[in-house]
Amino acid sequence: MRKSCILMHISSLPSEYGIGKMGRHAFEFVDFLKSAGVKCWQILPLSPTSYGDSPYQSFSVNAGNPYFIDFEVLEGDGLLEHHEYSSYKWESEADKVDYSVIYENCFAVLRTAYSRFKPSRFPEYKEFCENNKSWLDEYALFRALKDINGGKAWYEWEDKELSLHKTAAVNAAKKKLKNEIGFHKFAQFEFSRQWKELKKYANDNDIEIIGDIPIYCALDSVEAWAQPKLFWFDKEHKPVCVAGCPPDDFSPTGQLWGNPLYNWSYHKRTGYKWWINRIRTAAELYDIVRIDHFRGFESYYTIPYGSEDATVGEWKKGPNYELFRLAEEQLGKLNIIAEDLGFLTDEVHEMLRKCGYPGMKVLQFGFSDGKNEYLPHNFTTTNCFAYTGTHDNETLNGWVGSLDKKSLKFAMKYLNVKRKKDIPDAVIRAAWGSIAEVAAAQIQDFLGSGAGGRMNTPSTLGNNWQFRTQCSDFTPELAKKIRKLNKLYNR
């Protein structure tokens, strides 16, 4: 079945409270997608964001972002009064998320709600805590410890017994920080409750949610703190090497991500239990799971810890197809999208072939010459997702403005347009008209956003993840335009 998809993170939804939330505006967006005939809504990782505000650098692979909890829902449950959240100043600019403001105010409001929270009024709370015990207890303790340590990363805590996760110190902290731990469990409960309602509404309206899981954990994460065996650490729980990408034409010093790398020999000995549980959780959270940096399972680039850039490093072999073979044996057929961008070897292509997961075709990468694999006429299978651009790309308008003369001339000729300003709509039509099973575009590309609407510029810190929409963006006229496009191309 041919489908279309709009990529927009929860944070970009309209909101009176500085950042998108899982309340009425999210439900209204589902209504908009339905009226536009769009069958898939793709979001970014739902995890809590840390320093740099990236959903790909999170305190936990399992937890949800408390920023997305809707205050109006909490008011409806008798946990907040309207003035207790509406009186705050939530934004400095209407079209951007100000994370410093959100950080200062959001938790203050949630703590007010927690002060009125009585578990006996919410019988599902006990069940939630029991069902998520494998990660929730440790995560809540981790966040409580970060709070009393001024937000510092675990490896900077003064108490080395705690930073090294020594049993006696951890047990003492659990008793001492009982109320703080309870707050973070409450926040996760509310997140889960609201997310399930939103996802159910989307599914009831025949819309699938495409979620995203990063391949790596952050160094400042509960996983790195509490489960050091999972990672390539030394005896002091410091990384031996970290993740990134080698130098190329676009990045002469490479990309230094800094994430800890996995101890794949340990994972193999455990039958990849941790990874299979992670995939299971994601499959319950989303309808379709996009795995970021999929090629890293075949081989991954290692950079010595402490390096200033990625110029020195080496490739090492990953678990390859074996991990996904075992996952499907235990979980059944997986609905996964493989983010197969970047430098791909024959071995990576072979792993993808064995897995059978659809890959990604990003049209913005295609306009060099007629042989480029990202141009629709070169697609060799329907088993792929065609994107005008991803969250790491410029908006189409921004991209057109950055094209060199040769690429611009080729794009206009390929797309059969006479005017530069007609290129963005023509790229969307090319994606929708392709043989790809799913055609996807960022909401920015339908709204005509300029370069300032870009979600993320890779390898940069600051001014990312801030894009927001307004209620006035989602007009009946725009829904009609997208619906006509879907009908024209049988999506």
Side-chain angles (χ1 to χ4, degrees), residues 361-363 373-381 384 386 431 434-436:
K361 304 291 185 183
V362 180
L363 269 65
E373 66 175 296
Y374 293 113
L375 291 178
H377 72 272
N378 287 324
F379 293 2
T380 57
T381 175
C384 64
S434 74
I435 63 170

Side-chain angles (χ1 to χ4, degrees), residues 154-155 218-219 221 223-242 259-263:
W154 61 266
Y155 43 86
L219 180 55
S221 67
E223 289 81 20
W225 173 63
Q227 301 180 76
K229 287 183 179 179
L230 298 176
F231 305 96
W232 189 9
F233 284 169
D234 63 18
K235 292 180 180 179
E236 297 299 314
H237 297 186
K238 290 181 180 178
V240 176
C241 287
V242 294
N259 302 75
L261 295 164
Y262 294 109
N263 179 352

Side-chain angles (χ1 to χ4, degrees), residues 5-6 11 54 74 78 109 117 151 177 188 191 213 264 268 276 289 318 322 379 389 398 408 416 470 488:
C5 171
I6 286 182
S11 63
S54 170
L74 296 181
V109 172
F117 178 70
L177 300 173
Q188 289 307 304
F191 175 90
I213 63 173
W264 282 120
K268 184 181 177 69
I276 291 171
V289 178
E322 182 185 21
F379 293 2
L408 179 62
N416 194 30
Q470 308 296 315
L488 179 64

Side-chain angles (χ1 to χ4, degrees), residues 74-88:
L74 296 181
E75 182 185 356
D77 287 336
L79 299 177
L80 286 175
E81 294 181 12
H82 188 71
H83 71 89
E84 290 174 328
Y85 59 90
S86 62
S87 58
Y88 284 92

